Amino acid sequence: DAMVIQNPRYQVTQFGKPVTLSCSQTLNHNVMYWYQQKSSQAPKLLFHYYDKDFNNEADTPDNFQSRRPNTSFCFLDIRSPGLGDAAMYLCATSRESSGRTDTQYFGPGTRLTVL
Amino acid sequence: AQSVAQPEDQVNVAEGNPLTVKCTYSVSGNPYLFWYVQYPNRGLQFLLKYITGDNLVKGSYGFEAEFNKSQTSFHLKKPSALVSDSALYFCAVLRRGYSTLTFGKGTMLLVSP
């Protein structure tokens, strides 16, 4: 089945220790998104890739970076995690063509704990 | 600025009764409208969407949503609730020509046996 996969599902890191979360998709979608979600709040968009074009949200901290080496994979790097970065991180994908964006499909998420 | 309002933090309903989860939006133009469901420690799961056409949209697991342009609403409904429907529900809008969703704050649905 075509899907969005996130690894790991649970990640524990130490304060200030860099961490990388990964997302892969078999949907062949050209747009990939990273969201941060805290305690049953709405997901907050961090950034998204339209093909190789990176689009950062204005209020995303510099501590968060992303890489998309190819269509299928996208990574979220947190350079120096703070306690406030503990959250669920959600990856999503969609197909956009001719100026029209279709449904976003989400992965299962990675729960990040910062000690 | 665009916004999505889900006026209820929580909706309680007895199993077998009809349920409604409310959503209103303020977005220019004719946006696409979505409902997602989230179970604990899981990602968001797509339920249904409205793009154009019939105002009543049918989706997964027996859910449906009614689009009302004059009231700028897109309420989620189900004729007969199940205990397993208990989850967090998000309404979202996508402005045409844009790639990013605007989410409501979410409504927790609790279905009691």
Side-chain angles (χ1 to χ4, degrees):
Chain A
D1 288 340
M3 56 191 349
V4 183
I5 302 162
Q6 290 188 245
N7 286 305
R9 292 292 315 280
Y10 299 90
Q11 176 72 59
V12 180
T13 191
Q14 292 182 333
F15 183 94
K17 184 175 181 181
V19 66
T20 295
L21 310 182
S22 72
C23 176
S24 63
Q25 53 126 343
T26 60
L27 297 161
N28 202 31
H29 284 171
N30 56 344
V31 190
M32 295 187 76
Y33 308 79
W34 277 106
Y35 291 86
Q36 180 191 65
Q37 186 183 29
K38 294 185 176 182
S39 59
S40 298
Q41 297 177 18
K44 178 182 181 301
L45 182 64
L46 296 173
F47 24 60
H48 73 280
Y49 277 93
Y50 180 102
D51 292 322
K52 294 183 179 181
D53 294 334
F54 178 70
N55 298 272
N56 198 29
E57 293 300 298
D59 57 353
T60 298
D62 293 340
N63 197 27
F64 292 87
Q65 304 285 320
S66 185
R67 296 169 284 135
R68 189 180 186 186
N70 54 52
T71 301
S72 301
F73 285 87
C74 195
F75 300 98
L76 170 61
D77 300 309
I78 308 177
R79 294 192 296 187
S80 181
L83 297 179
D85 297 328
M88 174 76 89
Y89 289 88
L90 298 168
C91 175
T93 72
S94 69
R95 174 175 298 284
E96 182 169 336
S97 63
S98 303
R100 174 179 160 172
T101 303
D102 207 338
T103 304
Q104 286 189 27
Y105 293 95
F106 286 78
T110 295
R111 171 76 63 186
L112 178 68
T113 301
V114 182
L115 301 177
Chain B
Q2 51 196 20
S3 64
V4 179
Q6 292 182 242
E8 303 148 320
D9 290 336
Q10 184 168 307
V11 170
N12 296 296
V13 64
E15 188 173 33
N17 283 358
L19 69 87
T20 299
V21 183
K22 296 179 181 177
C23 173
T24 60
Y25 63 93
S26 175
V27 178
S28 60
N30 297 311
Y32 304 146
L33 302 164
F34 299 84
W35 276 102
Y36 287 87
V37 60
Q38 186 176 32
Y39 295 95
N41 283 313
R42 302 299 298 274
L44 274 65
Q45 189 173 333
F46 169 69
L47 277 179
L48 50 78
K49 67 181 176 184
Y50 174 83
I51 295 178
T52 188
D54 193 350
N55 289 345
L56 186 64
V57 179
K58 294 189 182 297
S60 306
Y61 313 119
F63 283 93
E64 55 190 27
E66 187 169 12
F67 170 66
N68 187 316
K69 186 173 184 178
S70 62
Q71 297 185 1
T72 61
S73 67
F74 189 54
H75 300 330
L76 182 69
K77 301 183 178 185
K78 187 173 182 181
S80 179
L82 299 172
V83 173
S84 57
D85 292 330
S86 299
L88 185 59
Y89 289 81
F90 288 101
C91 180
V93 299
L94 176 65
R95 201 170 152 195
R96 291 177 190 246
Y98 290 77
S99 302
T100 58
L101 288 170
T102 299
F103 284 93
K105 64 183 173 129
T107 298
M108 179 64 71
L109 173 66
L110 293 176
V111 182
S112 55

